[in-house]
Amino acid sequence: SIDGGNTWIKHGQDLNLGNSYDVSGTQSPSVYYDGSQWHMWYGGVVWGSPNTVRICHAHKNTLSDTWIKDGIVLNNDGAYDYPAATYPWVMPTEDGYEMYYSGFMPYSGPSRILHATSVDGLNWVRTGIYLEGESVLDYDFVLASSHLFDSGVYKTWYSGYDGSNWRIFYAEELPGKIGADANSTVSFY
């Protein structure tokens, strides 16, 4: 966009499916430029029994380069993310990176937004549940979050599903409480 995001020019496909870990699809990218290299974390989809999604990584040096796939960086084998770990949102920190991602069993909920940390963006340590549904409006699915750290507060926008309708929700969390019990640290609006 050259007009502040009102009109967009599509440039076409940027990352294709096809490897064993994303043979059925690539989805929901989170892209970050660290000053020397572009990083993309994305969901690698494999249709099967069950359908699985795992968080993968790709990199390139300039925007005109082709993405180089690095494979799975966060598997779907945690307590809350089997068979799907997807919708990553990665942010830089003083010590590396933090990732907020959705963990759920597709079409049978509930889903949660989970949190992980990494020094290099490739090796991740899960820290637990960041956010889960609390109301009848977002109980079935809580996923696809966007995050911002502003004035000492973590601000989160996410999709919530009640079994019939999707809505966008907003939540706030004070620093130092990531991965703690979402019921006591998050205020819903």
Side-chain angles (χ1 to χ4, degrees):
S1 176
I2 58 172
D3 61 1
N6 292 314
T7 307
W8 291 88
I9 300 169
K10 294 181 181 180
H11 294 277
Q13 179 178 283
D14 201 34
L15 184 72
N16 202 1
L17 54 91
N19 293 68
S20 61
Y21 48 84
D22 62 11
V23 68
S24 303
T26 55
Q27 61 162 294
S28 56
S30 178
V31 177
Y32 175 71
Y33 181 64
D34 68 7
S36 63
Q37 194 171 72
W38 290 90
H39 299 269
M40 179 192 292
W41 296 269
Y42 67 95
V45 180
V46 177
W47 297 127
S49 183
N51 298 330
T52 61
V53 186
R54 294 166 288 194
I55 297 174
C56 303
H57 182 268
H59 71 277
K60 62 181 173 178
N61 293 325
T62 69
L63 281 178
S64 60
D65 290 343
T66 301
W67 288 102
I68 299 168
K69 293 182 181 181
D70 301 307
I72 299 166
V73 295
L74 187 78
N75 217 328
N76 60 336
D77 57 1
Y80 304 109
D81 58 15
Y82 179 80
T86 187
Y87 298 108
W89 180 275
V90 178
M91 296 172 49
T93 66
E94 292 179 7
D95 302 323
Y97 300 93
E98 60 184 354
M99 178 192 301
Y100 302 87
Y101 68 100
S102 298
F104 67 104
M105 183 170 291
Y107 308 111
S108 64
S111 64
R112 299 168 176 93
I113 297 173
L114 307 173
H115 183 262
T117 60
S118 175
V119 173
D120 60 6
L122 300 174
N123 300 289
W124 292 89
V125 176
R126 291 176 176 90
T127 61
I129 297 171
Y130 175 74
L131 192 81
E132 49 189 346
E134 283 191 352
S135 75
V136 295
L137 299 179
D138 68 356
Y139 182 74
D140 286 344
F141 287 99
V142 172
L143 51 82
S145 59
S146 296
H147 302 263
L148 179 67
F149 186 69
D150 179 47
S151 303
V153 176
Y154 285 92
K155 298 179 178 187
T156 300
W157 292 263
Y158 66 94
S159 297
Y161 183 67
D162 65 3
S164 299
N165 299 294
W166 286 97
R167 296 173 177 89
I168 296 173
F169 290 82
Y170 175 73
E172 292 181 350
E173 182 175 33
L174 298 176
K177 301 292 185 177
I178 295 173
D181 180 4
N183 294 327
S184 63
T185 60
V186 179
S187 299
F188 293 87
Y189 298 89

